Amino acid sequence: MATAYINNKMLTWARERASLSCAYIAEKMKKPISTIEGWEDGKHPISFAEAQRFAGLVHIPFGFLYLDEPIEEQLPIPDRRTVGSREVDVSIELRETIDDVMLKADWYKEYAIENGFLPVELIGLYTVDSHVDDIVSGIKKYIKVPIPPKVSKWEGFLSSLIKEIERNGILVMKNGVVKNSTKRPISVNDFRGFCIADKYAPVIFINNNDAQSAQLFTLIHELAHLMIGESGISDISHSTNRKEEVLCNAVAAEFLTPANVFIKNWIDDEDWSLNVQPMTKIFKVSRWVIARRALTLRLIEEDQYTRYINSINDKSPGGPVPYTRLQKGRVSETFARAVVSQALEGRMLLRDAQRLIGIRPSKMMEFAKKELGL
């Protein structure tokens, strides 16, 4: 086989960028670990086919292996996540997810402007110096959902919030994998959500691997970011010290669990955790959100909160969802409707529509009728 005269150190850079070990690459390529190490240090030749396979495993274009130096990658939106005083590493899953969402947002922005859409009113209504109560009042003005919710389950609450937010011109995308690859899940430990504060194509992205009732907090946190006009990958940790994150956390908490209602329903007891389950039924949020709110309202101490959070598992796997319905949530119903309408009217190729929404041309009409009501 013909040897690929690549820059061998790019192999190491690409593998480490993808957080993969030599052992993983060796297993996937059915090679001894010594061969992979030999490719990286230049002691063993690598063929074109092997180099292409390697590039696919580490999720880079094949041509990158010929570069003299690794490219300097910069995120298109601010990263506000921290652990203690240091910033968090940016995973390849996060990078590719942001790139994919940005591509969709760019398409939708062009579509919105061409169709005479007005800028979305909610974007940048406030600033990072605005008061929490003012932003919460602003959300309630535009998002017509009663708090505490009248629906019986959190699923209905989340659905009604997303519909209201999309009605106000914001695309809400919920996905738990990179694009449509079920083999590449997105870890909640990596990120819970991010947003793009564009006036014509604002986006809220939520990691769908999080407990769905916990996604409510992320949704409103990201909405608060949009309302102060800031894009970014959010830090939803209660211990964050970033001004904008503290503000958006406070807005999400007050909107979902208003202090006056929360305190009214809180019962002082030797075992404070007995409050949690009844509170989840009132507010339709997760146990994590209730415990966190109790902490911020100083109803419990930090050590009580930490012990409780470490003892629970609020993961909500849910049941199987039809692929077409899953895709609608992954790309936002508003976005899917725009793409499908353009495709069915002959204004874009069906294969281009497939790249944007993940629906095969043969299924486009069925998707339009069944999921979008077109």
PDB file of all heavy atoms in Angstrom, residues 59-84:
ATOM      1  N   HIS A  59     -12.132  12.237  14.166  1.00  0.00           N
ATOM      2  CA  HIS A  59     -13.080  13.276  13.730  1.00  0.00           C
ATOM      3  C   HIS A  59     -12.392  14.557  13.252  1.00  0.00           C
ATOM      4  O   HIS A  59     -12.710  15.674  13.687  1.00  0.00           O
ATOM      5  CB  HIS A  59     -14.056  13.612  14.867  1.00  0.00           C
ATOM      6  CG  HIS A  59     -14.713  12.409  15.466  1.00  0.00           C
ATOM      7  ND1 HIS A  59     -15.626  11.644  14.773  1.00  0.00           N
ATOM      8  CD2 HIS A  59     -14.567  11.825  16.682  1.00  0.00           C
ATOM      9  CE1 HIS A  59     -16.023  10.637  15.552  1.00  0.00           C
ATOM     10  NE2 HIS A  59     -15.401  10.722  16.696  1.00  0.00           N
ATOM     11  N   ILE A  60     -11.454  14.390  12.316  1.00  0.00           N
ATOM     12  CA  ILE A  60     -10.848  15.547  11.659  1.00  0.00           C
ATOM     13  C   ILE A  60     -10.832  15.297  10.159  1.00  0.00           C
ATOM     14  O   ILE A  60     -10.823  14.146   9.712  1.00  0.00           O
ATOM     15  CB  ILE A  60      -9.408  15.826  12.149  1.00  0.00           C
ATOM     16  CG1 ILE A  60      -8.493  14.649  11.803  1.00  0.00           C
ATOM     17  CG2 ILE A  60      -9.363  16.178  13.613  1.00  0.00           C
ATOM     18  CD1 ILE A  60      -7.017  14.979  11.922  1.00  0.00           C
ATOM     19  N   PRO A  61     -10.794  16.358   9.346  1.00  0.00           N
ATOM     20  CA  PRO A  61     -10.606  16.170   7.906  1.00  0.00           C
ATOM     21  C   PRO A  61      -9.242  15.533   7.645  1.00  0.00           C
ATOM     22  O   PRO A  61      -8.252  15.865   8.306  1.00  0.00           O
ATOM     23  CB  PRO A  61     -10.673  17.598   7.348  1.00  0.00           C
ATOM     24  CG  PRO A  61     -11.408  18.388   8.388  1.00  0.00           C
ATOM     25  CD  PRO A  61     -11.014  17.772   9.699  1.00  0.00           C
ATOM     26  N   PHE A  62      -9.170  14.639   6.675  1.00  0.00           N
ATOM     27  CA  PHE A  62      -7.935  13.936   6.351  1.00  0.00           C
ATOM     28  C   PHE A  62      -6.784  14.909   6.070  1.00  0.00           C
ATOM     29  O   PHE A  62      -5.637  14.694   6.464  1.00  0.00           O
ATOM     30  CB  PHE A  62      -8.164  13.013   5.158  1.00  0.00           C
ATOM     31  CG  PHE A  62      -6.930  12.331   4.647  1.00  0.00           C
ATOM     32  CD1 PHE A  62      -6.179  11.515   5.473  1.00  0.00           C
ATOM     33  CD2 PHE A  62      -6.511  12.508   3.330  1.00  0.00           C
ATOM     34  CE1 PHE A  62      -5.032  10.868   4.996  1.00  0.00           C
ATOM     35  CE2 PHE A  62      -5.376  11.879   2.849  1.00  0.00           C
ATOM     36  CZ  PHE A  62      -4.635  11.056   3.686  1.00  0.00           C
ATOM     37  N   GLY A  63      -7.086  16.014   5.414  1.00  0.00           N
ATOM     38  CA  GLY A  63      -6.063  16.987   5.045  1.00  0.00           C
ATOM     39  C   GLY A  63      -5.333  17.596   6.231  1.00  0.00           C
ATOM     40  O   GLY A  63      -4.195  18.073   6.093  1.00  0.00           O
ATOM     41  N   PHE A  64      -5.965  17.588   7.412  1.00  0.00           N
ATOM     42  CA  PHE A  64      -5.315  18.153   8.599  1.00  0.00           C
ATOM     43  C   PHE A  64      -4.017  17.424   8.934  1.00  0.00           C
ATOM     44  O   PHE A  64      -3.113  18.005   9.545  1.00  0.00           O
ATOM     45  CB  PHE A  64      -6.258  18.064   9.808  1.00  0.00           C
ATOM     46  CG  PHE A  64      -7.254  19.188   9.895  1.00  0.00           C
ATOM     47  CD1 PHE A  64      -7.654  19.886   8.767  1.00  0.00           C
ATOM     48  CD2 PHE A  64      -7.822  19.542  11.116  1.00  0.00           C
ATOM     49  CE1 PHE A  64      -8.583  20.915   8.843  1.00  0.00           C
ATOM     50  CE2 PHE A  64      -8.740  20.561  11.213  1.00  0.00           C
ATOM     51  CZ  PHE A  64      -9.119  21.253  10.068  1.00  0.00           C
ATOM     52  N   LEU A  65      -3.926  16.169   8.553  1.00  0.00           N
ATOM     53  CA  LEU A  65      -2.737  15.385   8.890  1.00  0.00           C
ATOM     54  C   LEU A  65      -1.507  15.845   8.125  1.00  0.00           C
ATOM     55  O   LEU A  65      -0.390  15.423   8.440  1.00  0.00           O
ATOM     56  CB  LEU A  65      -2.989  13.900   8.618  1.00  0.00           C
ATOM     57  CG  LEU A  65      -4.102  13.247   9.453  1.00  0.00           C
ATOM     58  CD1 LEU A  65      -4.254  11.780   9.080  1.00  0.00           C
ATOM     59  CD2 LEU A  65      -3.829  13.392  10.943  1.00  0.00           C
ATOM     60  N   TYR A  66      -1.681  16.706   7.139  1.00  0.00           N
ATOM     61  CA  TYR A  66      -0.557  17.224   6.353  1.00  0.00           C
ATOM     62  C   TYR A  66      -0.118  18.620   6.818  1.00  0.00           C
ATOM     63  O   TYR A  66       0.839  19.183   6.286  1.00  0.00           O
ATOM     64  CB  TYR A  66      -0.924  17.281   4.869  1.00  0.00           C
ATOM     65  CG  TYR A  66      -1.004  15.913   4.216  1.00  0.00           C
ATOM     66  CD1 TYR A  66      -2.189  15.198   4.218  1.00  0.00           C
ATOM     67  CD2 TYR A  66       0.110  15.338   3.615  1.00  0.00           C
ATOM     68  CE1 TYR A  66      -2.274  13.942   3.630  1.00  0.00           C
ATOM     69  CE2 TYR A  66       0.044  14.085   3.031  1.00  0.00           C
ATOM     70  CZ  TYR A  66      -1.148  13.393   3.035  1.00  0.00           C
ATOM     71  OH  TYR A  66      -1.224  12.150   2.459  1.00  0.00           O
ATOM     72  N   LEU A  67      -0.803  19.184   7.787  1.00  0.00           N
ATOM     73  CA  LEU A  67      -0.444  20.518   8.265  1.00  0.00           C
ATOM     74  C   LEU A  67       0.901  20.491   8.994  1.00  0.00           C
ATOM     75  O   LEU A  67       1.274  19.486   9.603  1.00  0.00           O
ATOM     76  CB  LEU A  67      -1.525  21.047   9.212  1.00  0.00           C
ATOM     77  CG  LEU A  67      -2.917  21.279   8.605  1.00  0.00           C
ATOM     78  CD1 LEU A  67      -3.916  21.683   9.695  1.00  0.00           C
ATOM     79  CD2 LEU A  67      -2.854  22.351   7.522  1.00  0.00           C
ATOM     80  N   ASP A  68       1.608  21.629   8.953  1.00  0.00           N
ATOM     81  CA  ASP A  68       2.882  21.728   9.662  1.00  0.00           C
ATOM     82  C   ASP A  68       2.678  21.810  11.170  1.00  0.00           C
ATOM     83  O   ASP A  68       3.453  21.254  11.949  1.00  0.00           O
ATOM     84  CB  ASP A  68       3.664  22.962   9.192  1.00  0.00           C
ATOM     85  CG  ASP A  68       4.146  22.824   7.757  1.00  0.00           C
ATOM     86  OD1 ASP A  68       4.378  21.672   7.334  1.00  0.00           O
ATOM     87  OD2 ASP A  68       4.266  23.847   7.070  1.00  0.00           O
ATOM     88  N   GLU A  69       1.629  22.529  11.581  1.00  0.00           N
ATOM     89  CA  GLU A  69       1.341  22.710  12.998  1.00  0.00           C
ATOM     90  C   GLU A  69      -0.167  22.546  13.229  1.00  0.00           C
ATOM     91  O   GLU A  69      -0.971  22.795  12.321  1.00  0.00           O
ATOM     92  CB  GLU A  69       1.758  24.116  13.469  1.00  0.00           C
ATOM     93  CG  GLU A  69       3.252  24.402  13.376  1.00  0.00           C
ATOM     94  CD  GLU A  69       4.053  23.596  14.393  1.00  0.00           C
ATOM     95  OE1 GLU A  69       3.456  23.149  15.388  1.00  0.00           O
ATOM     96  OE2 GLU A  69       5.277  23.417  14.172  1.00  0.00           O
ATOM     97  N   PRO A  70      -0.542  22.144  14.435  1.00  0.00           N
ATOM     98  CA  PRO A  70      -1.979  22.070  14.747  1.00  0.00           C
ATOM     99  C   PRO A  70      -2.638  23.428  14.580  1.00  0.00           C
ATOM    100  O   PRO A  70      -2.037  24.468  14.866  1.00  0.00           O
ATOM    101  CB  PRO A  70      -1.991  21.633  16.225  1.00  0.00           C
ATOM    102  CG  PRO A  70      -0.685  20.951  16.436  1.00  0.00           C
ATOM    103  CD  PRO A  70       0.287  21.679  15.562  1.00  0.00           C
ATOM    104  N   ILE A  71      -3.868  23.417  14.111  1.00  0.00           N
ATOM    105  CA  ILE A  71      -4.587  24.674  13.945  1.00  0.00           C
ATOM    106  C   ILE A  71      -5.020  25.206  15.310  1.00  0.00           C
ATOM    107  O   ILE A  71      -5.252  24.445  16.248  1.00  0.00           O
ATOM    108  CB  ILE A  71      -5.832  24.493  13.045  1.00  0.00           C
ATOM    109  CG1 ILE A  71      -6.789  23.465  13.658  1.00  0.00           C
ATOM    110  CG2 ILE A  71      -5.442  24.106  11.648  1.00  0.00           C
ATOM    111  CD1 ILE A  71      -8.112  23.364  12.920  1.00  0.00           C
ATOM    112  N   GLU A  72      -5.093  26.512  15.420  1.00  0.00           N
ATOM    113  CA  GLU A  72      -5.551  27.129  16.668  1.00  0.00           C
ATOM    114  C   GLU A  72      -7.069  27.243  16.598  1.00  0.00           C
ATOM    115  O   GLU A  72      -7.610  28.008  15.801  1.00  0.00           O
ATOM    116  CB  GLU A  72      -4.924  28.514  16.844  1.00  0.00           C
ATOM    117  CG  GLU A  72      -5.291  29.169  18.153  1.00  0.00           C
ATOM    118  CD  GLU A  72      -4.625  30.523  18.342  1.00  0.00           C
ATOM    119  OE1 GLU A  72      -3.715  30.847  17.558  1.00  0.00           O
ATOM    120  OE2 GLU A  72      -5.017  31.242  19.265  1.00  0.00           O
ATOM    121  N   GLU A  73      -7.725  26.465  17.418  1.00  0.00           N
ATOM    122  CA  GLU A  73      -9.193  26.422  17.386  1.00  0.00           C
ATOM    123  C   GLU A  73      -9.775  27.360  18.441  1.00  0.00           C
ATOM    124  O   GLU A  73      -9.417  27.288  19.614  1.00  0.00           O
ATOM    125  CB  GLU A  73      -9.691  24.999  17.637  1.00  0.00           C
ATOM    126  CG  GLU A  73      -9.263  24.007  16.569  1.00  0.00           C
ATOM    127  CD  GLU A  73      -9.769  22.618  16.863  1.00  0.00           C
ATOM    128  OE1 GLU A  73      -9.244  21.990  17.806  1.00  0.00           O
ATOM    129  OE2 GLU A  73     -10.679  22.149  16.157  1.00  0.00           O
ATOM    130  N   GLN A  74     -10.677  28.214  17.992  1.00  0.00           N
ATOM    131  CA  GLN A  74     -11.345  29.127  18.904  1.00  0.00           C
ATOM    132  C   GLN A  74     -12.851  28.908  18.811  1.00  0.00           C
ATOM    133  O   GLN A  74     -13.405  28.778  17.714  1.00  0.00           O
ATOM    134  CB  GLN A  74     -11.006  30.587  18.569  1.00  0.00           C
ATOM    135  CG  GLN A  74      -9.540  30.936  18.829  1.00  0.00           C
ATOM    136  CD  GLN A  74      -9.265  32.413  18.596  1.00  0.00           C
ATOM    137  OE1 GLN A  74      -9.989  33.088  17.880  1.00  0.00           O
ATOM    138  NE2 GLN A  74      -8.203  32.912  19.206  1.00  0.00           N
ATOM    139  N   LEU A  75     -13.493  28.876  19.956  1.00  0.00           N
ATOM    140  CA  LEU A  75     -14.943  28.712  19.964  1.00  0.00           C
ATOM    141  C   LEU A  75     -15.613  29.987  19.468  1.00  0.00           C
ATOM    142  O   LEU A  75     -15.157  31.096  19.767  1.00  0.00           O
ATOM    143  CB  LEU A  75     -15.430  28.394  21.377  1.00  0.00           C
ATOM    144  CG  LEU A  75     -15.053  27.019  21.934  1.00  0.00           C
ATOM    145  CD1 LEU A  75     -15.440  26.932  23.405  1.00  0.00           C
ATOM    146  CD2 LEU A  75     -15.742  25.921  21.144  1.00  0.00           C
ATOM    147  N   PRO A  76     -16.721  29.858  18.734  1.00  0.00           N
ATOM    148  CA  PRO A  76     -17.415  31.042  18.223  1.00  0.00           C
ATOM    149  C   PRO A  76     -18.253  31.749  19.276  1.00  0.00           C
ATOM    150  O   PRO A  76     -18.770  32.838  19.028  1.00  0.00           O
ATOM    151  CB  PRO A  76     -18.302  30.459  17.116  1.00  0.00           C
ATOM    152  CG  PRO A  76     -18.556  29.047  17.543  1.00  0.00           C
ATOM    153  CD  PRO A  76     -17.296  28.598  18.229  1.00  0.00           C
ATOM    154  N   ILE A  77     -18.422  31.129  20.449  1.00  0.00           N
ATOM    155  CA  ILE A  77     -19.164  31.763  21.542  1.00  0.00           C
ATOM    156  C   ILE A  77     -18.350  31.636  22.819  1.00  0.00           C
ATOM    157  O   ILE A  77     -17.527  30.728  22.950  1.00  0.00           O
ATOM    158  CB  ILE A  77     -20.567  31.132  21.739  1.00  0.00           C
ATOM    159  CG1 ILE A  77     -20.456  29.626  22.007  1.00  0.00           C
ATOM    160  CG2 ILE A  77     -21.451  31.397  20.528  1.00  0.00           C
ATOM    161  CD1 ILE A  77     -21.787  28.952  22.302  1.00  0.00           C
ATOM    162  N   PRO A  78     -18.554  32.531  23.790  1.00  0.00           N
ATOM    163  CA  PRO A  78     -17.790  32.468  25.037  1.00  0.00           C
ATOM    164  C   PRO A  78     -18.071  31.187  25.828  1.00  0.00           C
ATOM    165  O   PRO A  78     -19.183  30.669  25.818  1.00  0.00           O
ATOM    166  CB  PRO A  78     -18.287  33.700  25.815  1.00  0.00           C
ATOM    167  CG  PRO A  78     -18.868  34.607  24.775  1.00  0.00           C
ATOM    168  CD  PRO A  78     -19.435  33.710  23.718  1.00  0.00           C
ATOM    169  N   ASP A  79     -17.043  30.705  26.510  1.00  0.00           N
ATOM    170  CA  ASP A  79     -17.172  29.530  27.368  1.00  0.00           C
ATOM    171  C   ASP A  79     -17.051  30.000  28.811  1.00  0.00           C
ATOM    172  O   ASP A  79     -15.996  30.439  29.249  1.00  0.00           O
ATOM    173  CB  ASP A  79     -16.071  28.514  27.038  1.00  0.00           C
ATOM    174  CG  ASP A  79     -16.232  27.210  27.806  1.00  0.00           C
ATOM    175  OD1 ASP A  79     -17.177  27.104  28.617  1.00  0.00           O
ATOM    176  OD2 ASP A  79     -15.421  26.293  27.589  1.00  0.00           O
ATOM    177  N   ARG A  80     -18.162  29.909  29.555  1.00  0.00           N
ATOM    178  CA  ARG A  80     -18.180  30.426  30.928  1.00  0.00           C
ATOM    179  C   ARG A  80     -18.095  29.330  31.986  1.00  0.00           C
ATOM    180  O   ARG A  80     -18.263  29.597  33.164  1.00  0.00           O
ATOM    181  CB  ARG A  80     -19.445  31.271  31.140  1.00  0.00           C
ATOM    182  CG  ARG A  80     -19.545  32.461  30.196  1.00  0.00           C
ATOM    183  CD  ARG A  80     -20.699  33.369  30.537  1.00  0.00           C
ATOM    184  NE  ARG A  80     -20.677  34.569  29.711  1.00  0.00           N
ATOM    185  CZ  ARG A  80     -21.255  34.688  28.533  1.00  0.00           C
ATOM    186  NH1 ARG A  80     -21.929  33.670  28.035  1.00  0.00           N
ATOM    187  NH2 ARG A  80     -21.181  35.808  27.842  1.00  0.00           N
ATOM    188  N   ARG A  81     -17.850  28.099  31.550  1.00  0.00           N
ATOM    189  CA  ARG A  81     -17.763  27.000  32.509  1.00  0.00           C
ATOM    190  C   ARG A  81     -16.431  27.047  33.261  1.00  0.00           C
ATOM    191  O   ARG A  81     -15.396  27.316  32.673  1.00  0.00           O
ATOM    192  CB  ARG A  81     -17.880  25.647  31.789  1.00  0.00           C
ATOM    193  CG  ARG A  81     -19.147  25.449  30.986  1.00  0.00           C
ATOM    194  CD  ARG A  81     -18.995  24.250  30.066  1.00  0.00           C
ATOM    195  NE  ARG A  81     -17.829  24.413  29.210  1.00  0.00           N
ATOM    196  CZ  ARG A  81     -17.121  23.404  28.714  1.00  0.00           C
ATOM    197  NH1 ARG A  81     -17.468  22.166  28.983  1.00  0.00           N
ATOM    198  NH2 ARG A  81     -16.073  23.633  27.935  1.00  0.00           N
ATOM    199  N   THR A  82     -16.491  26.789  34.541  1.00  0.00           N
ATOM    200  CA  THR A  82     -15.286  26.729  35.349  1.00  0.00           C
ATOM    201  C   THR A  82     -15.400  25.613  36.379  1.00  0.00           C
ATOM    202  O   THR A  82     -16.493  25.204  36.754  1.00  0.00           O
ATOM    203  CB  THR A  82     -15.026  28.042  36.120  1.00  0.00           C
ATOM    204  OG1 THR A  82     -16.169  28.340  36.930  1.00  0.00           O
ATOM    205  CG2 THR A  82     -14.773  29.194  35.159  1.00  0.00           C
ATOM    206  N   VAL A  83     -14.254  25.117  36.805  1.00  0.00           N
ATOM    207  CA  VAL A  83     -14.177  24.207  37.947  1.00  0.00           C
ATOM    208  C   VAL A  83     -13.221  24.880  38.912  1.00  0.00           C
ATOM    209  O   VAL A  83     -12.024  24.964  38.652  1.00  0.00           O
ATOM    210  CB  VAL A  83     -13.656  22.816  37.543  1.00  0.00           C
ATOM    211  CG1 VAL A  83     -13.451  21.968  38.795  1.00  0.00           C
ATOM    212  CG2 VAL A  83     -14.638  22.127  36.616  1.00  0.00           C
ATOM    213  N   GLY A  84     -13.756  25.371  40.013  1.00  0.00           N
ATOM    214  CA  GLY A  84     -12.923  26.170  40.902  1.00  0.00           C
ATOM    215  C   GLY A  84     -12.553  27.470  40.203  1.00  0.00           C
ATOM    216  O   GLY A  84     -13.413  28.247  39.833  1.00  0.00           O
TER     217      GLY A  84
END
